[in-house]
Amino acid sequence: MTFDPIAIIGAGAVGAYYGARLAQAGADVHFFTRSDCAPIRAHGLRVQSFVGDFTLDSVNVYDDTAAMPKSKLIIVSLKATAQADYVRLVRPVVREDSIILCLQNGLGNEQILADAFGADRVLGAIAYTCINRVGPGEIAHTAHGKLRIGEFGSHSVTRAEQIAEMWRRAKVPADAVSDLRRFRWHKLVWNIPFNGWGAAMDLHTEALLATPTGAQLVRDTMQEVVDAAAALGMTFEPDLIDDQIAKTREMAAYQSSMQLDRQQQRGMEIDAIITEPLRQAERAGVRVPLIRTLDRLLRAIPSRG
Amino acid sequence: MTFDPIAIIGAGAVGAYYGARLAQAGADVHFFTRSDCAPIRAHGLRVQSFVGDFTLDSVNVYDDTAAMPKSKLIIVSLKATAQADYVRLVRPVVREDSIILCLQNGLGNEQILADAFGADRVLGAIAYTCINRVGPGEIAHTAHGKLRIGEFGSHSVTRAEQIAEMWRRAKVPADAVSDLRRFRWHKLVWNIPFNGWGAAMDLHTEALLATPTGAQLVRDTMQEVVDAAAALGMTFEPDLIDDQIAKTREMAAYQSSMQLDRQQQRGMEIDAIITEPLRQAERAGVRVPLIRTLDRLLRAIPSRG
C-alpha cells in the first residue's frame, strides 16, 4: 500500500530523517523547510545514521508549501513553538483524502490540526530517537529510532498499522498503538522534568540527578505527571518513575532539546511539553505546582525566536 | 579612638578591601585567609579602587586564626556558606573586651556569633559595594563602597558610630544605624530575587527583566520579602519595588555573586540569603511560595564546595 505523494511539513532533524528513510525506500516524498531549502537543493540531504549512512542527491524540497503537490499523507514535523503557523502551512497540501500525521512533541498539536481539518483524518506519531541537525542538509541519527503511531480521534489501529508497515519497509522500527494519548503522557513523565528543569535551570540530566534535592525534584515532578494522567484515566507501570530515573542515570550527561534551545536562545516547545499538560491536569482537578512553576520560569527566559 | 588590634576573619574580596583601608590609615590589622595567605605574604595586598589604588607591602596575614593576636575588633567576613566554621575560626582571637562585627550577607550570621560569644558584643555591617578578587592578593573595587553598621542586640548607635568613624577616617563612607535588621531585610528585597533566580536559572539581571513574565517573577518575589518584613514589624518606602526594578534596569547586565558562584560550581550563600529569611517569614505566618521554591531549586544545583 502506498501513501504517495507524501509531504513532510518541517524538515528539521526529525522530519528530515523519517522522510528521507521513506524516500530512500522509493516513496514520492516532498519536503518543506525554510531554513535548509537552498542547501538541500544544492547538495542533497545527507544522513549519518548508526543503522546506515545514506545521501539523497535529488530531493523535492520547497520553501513554500503552496508550491508542493497536494498529498495523500501529510507528516507535520514542525517544531512545536509556532502552533499558530501549522494550519496555514498545512492547508495548501491538503486534498480530500489526505491523512495528517502529527510527528511532534507533547500535547495539543493534533488538536490544532483536528480543529482545522477534521479529527477523522488526524493521527499522531511519537518518535523515540536521538537525531540532530549537524549542518545545512546534514543530520546525524545516533541512537534508537522507533515510532509509535496511533489515531487521534479513535482507538482503531487499521490506518496506523498501514503507516507503521510503510516505515518498517524503510528500516524504521514502527508500531501501531490503540491509545496514542496514553503514550504521549507516558513520554511526558520523562520530558516534563528533564526538558523543563533542564531548560529552566540550564542543567543536564546528570546534574539534575546529582544531588538528593535535585533527584527528589525530578521524582516529584514525574509524580505530578503520573497523577495527572491517572486523573485523566491513564495508568502506567507502577515502577515507572524508578525505572526512568535508573535509565537516565545510565545515560551520559544528556542535554534535552529544550535545554539546547534555551542555550541557543531559540524558542522552546513550552506550549506542547508544559502548558497543555498543565491545562489538562488542572482541568481534571489535579494540583501540579511544580509543573505550574516550570511554566512560569520557562516563560521568563528570553529568546530571540 | 582605636580598636587595635583588629582581626579580619576571612580576607576574601570584601574583608580584604575594608581591612586594607584600615591598615592603610594606620590601624594594626591582622588578616586570616587560607587561600591567599602565601601570595599576600610574598607580594602584599594590591587594591585597585575607583577611589584610589594602593598596595600594602607588608601584611600581617595568617592561614590559622590560632596564630593571630587576640583582638579588640574582630571583623567576620567569611563567606556565608560554612556557618559551622565561624565559631571555631573566631574563638582563638576573642578576648574579654572583643567586639565582633559581622560583615556578611543575609540573615543568621550574627545569631551564630551571638549564641557563641554573647549578643552584647555582636554588631553587623552591611556593605553596599562592588568588589571582586581578580587574582591572588589582588582585588578590584569598582563602584560604591558604603557601610551601614548597627548593633545586633540593641538599638544603641554608640559603638556603631565609633566604628563608622574609624572607617570614615580610612576613606570608607560609613553610617551607624539603629535598626540593623531592617536594613538587612531591605537589602534582601533585591538580593533574594536577583541572587536567587539569577543563580537558579543562570540569568543575569538584564535577562531576568527582559520578559514581562520574568519582571513579574522578580516583582512577586520582592513582594514576598516586603510582606515578610512587614509581618516582622518592618516597613519600607512604598515605591521600593518600582525603584529597585528601575535602578536595576539602568545597570548593565549584572551577574549576582550567587550566579557567579553557581557558574564556578562554588558553594552558594543559600542559608543566609534564602533559607533563614524563608524560615523567619514562615514562622511569622507569611506564605512565601516563590522563596520556598528558590530554596529547593538552589539546593538542587551541584557544587564542588
Side-chain angles (χ1 to χ4, degrees), chain A residues 105-166:
Chain A
N105 279 323
L107 301 184
N109 300 307
E110 285 102 352
Q111 186 66 58
I112 290 168
L113 296 164
D115 290 345
F117 304 110
D120 58 334
R121 59 165 109 212
V122 175
L123 293 94
I126 304 172
Y128 301 85
T129 190
C130 298
I131 303 175
N132 296 296
R133 177 182 177 282
V134 292
E138 194 169 350
I139 56 180
H141 169 222
T142 53
H144 309 291
K146 181 174 178 162
L147 294 176
R148 287 201 169 107
I149 300 162
E151 292 280 342
F152 174 63
S154 83
H155 295 287
S156 161
V157 292
T158 311
R159 287 195 301 196
E161 178 53 40
Q162 290 165 350
I163 297 169
E165 173 59 22
M166 168 188 73

Side-chain angles (χ1 to χ4, degrees), chain B residues 52-100:
Chain B
D53 297 351
F54 63 98
T55 299
L56 299 179
D57 290 318
S58 172
V59 182
N60 302 310
V61 61
Y62 310 80
D63 62 3
D64 180 356
T65 58
M68 297 173 75
K70 292 187 186 296
S71 299
K72 182 150 180 200
L73 178 62
I74 301 165
I75 298 172
V76 180
S77 43
L78 296 161
K79 198 171 162 197
T81 48
Q83 296 187 329
D85 289 340
Y86 295 174
V87 174
R88 186 177 56 74
L89 289 170
V90 169
R91 192 179 301 282
V93 299
V94 175
R95 64 186 201 190
E96 204 171 337
D97 66 344
S98 293
I99 295 169
I100 302 174

Side-chain angles (χ1 to χ4, degrees), chain B residues 101 110 122-126 148-154 156-157 160 175-180:
Chain B
L101 179 70
E110 285 102 352
V122 175
L123 293 94
I126 305 173
R148 286 201 169 107
I149 301 163
E151 292 279 342
F152 174 62
S154 83
S156 161
V157 294
D175 286 335
V177 297
S178 63
D179 194 349
L180 175 70

Side-chain angles (χ1 to χ4, degrees), chain A:
Chain A
M1 154 141 213
T2 172
F3 288 95
D4 291 346
I6 298 172
I8 306 284
I9 307 299
V14 168
Y17 177 74
Y18 287 105
R21 283 284 176 203
L22 296 177
Q24 195 201 17
D28 179 27
V29 184
H30 299 259
F31 295 86
F32 163 73
T33 167
R34 253 182 305 242
S35 59
D36 279 9
C37 185
I40 293 175
R41 201 168 275 166
H43 307 294
L45 185 52
R46 277 163 297 166
V47 178
Q48 304 161 26
S49 168
F50 78 106
V51 294
D53 298 351
F54 63 98
T55 298
L56 299 179
D57 290 317
S58 173
V59 182
N60 303 311
V61 61
Y62 309 81
D63 61 4
D64 179 356
T65 58
M68 298 173 74
K70 293 187 186 293
S71 299
K72 180 150 183 203
L73 179 61
I74 301 165
I75 299 172
V76 180
S77 44
L78 296 161
K79 198 170 161 198
T81 48
Q83 296 187 329
D85 289 341
Y86 295 175
V87 174
R88 185 178 56 75
L89 289 171
V90 169
R91 191 177 303 279
V93 298
V94 175
R95 64 187 203 191
E96 202 172 339
D97 67 343
S98 292
I99 296 170
I100 302 174
L101 179 70
C102 178
L103 175 58
Q104 293 172 288
N105 279 323
L107 301 184
N109 300 307
E110 285 102 352
Q111 186 66 58
I112 290 168
L113 296 164
D115 290 345
F117 304 110
D120 58 334
R121 59 165 109 212
V122 175
L123 293 94
I126 304 172
Y128 301 85
T129 190
C130 298
I131 303 175
N132 296 296
R133 177 182 177 282
V134 292
E138 194 169 350
I139 56 180
H141 169 222
T142 53
H144 309 291
K146 181 174 178 162
L147 294 176
R148 287 201 169 107
I149 300 162
E151 292 280 342
F152 174 63
S154 83
H155 295 287
S156 161
V157 292
T158 311
R159 287 195 301 196
E161 178 53 40
Q162 290 165 350
I163 297 169
E165 173 59 22
M166 168 188 73
W167 257 305
R168 287 195 298 264
R169 286 194 311 259
K171 294 194 183 162
V172 171
D175 285 337
V177 298
S178 63
D179 194 349
L180 176 70
R181 180 163 160 264
R182 182 173 169 278
F183 283 100
R184 287 243 180 258
W185 276 92
H186 192 276
K187 196 172 178 189
L188 288 171
V189 173
W190 193 94
N191 268 338
I192 289 180
F194 286 108
N195 275 282
W197 295 116
M201 303 181 68
D202 200 9
L203 295 176
H204 56 57
T205 53
E206 193 176 274
L208 277 171
L209 296 176
T211 67
T213 309
Q216 194 59 47
L217 181 70
V218 168
R219 279 178 183 280
D220 290 350
T221 309
M222 288 182 165
Q223 190 63 54
E224 288 189 0
V225 185
V226 169
D227 291 347
L232 292 162
M234 293 163 278
T235 52
F236 304 128
E237 53 276 28
D239 61 349
L240 174 62
I241 291 176
D242 286 344
D243 183 58
Q244 299 247 311
I245 299 279
K247 282 185 177 149
T248 307
R249 285 197 193 280
E250 282 166 24
M251 295 158 49
Y254 180 79
Q255 295 184 299
S256 69
S257 62
M258 203 182 268
Q259 188 189 3
L260 292 171
D261 284 341
R262 177 223 156 117
Q263 291 176 345
Q264 307 292 323
Q265 292 187 270
R266 292 187 301 241
M268 297 182 281
E269 294 181 312
I270 305 173
D271 286 341
I273 295 180
I274 307 292
T275 312
E276 180 59 22
L278 170 64
R279 196 185 67 79
Q280 293 191 20
E282 293 190 340
R283 208 171 45 171
V286 184
R287 277 195 72 244
V288 287
L290 293 170
I291 302 176
R292 175 154 281 291
T293 297
L294 277 176
D295 191 60
R296 183 169 196 184
L297 299 188
L298 292 167
R299 288 179 190 285
I301 296 172
S303 75
R304 288 182 303 234

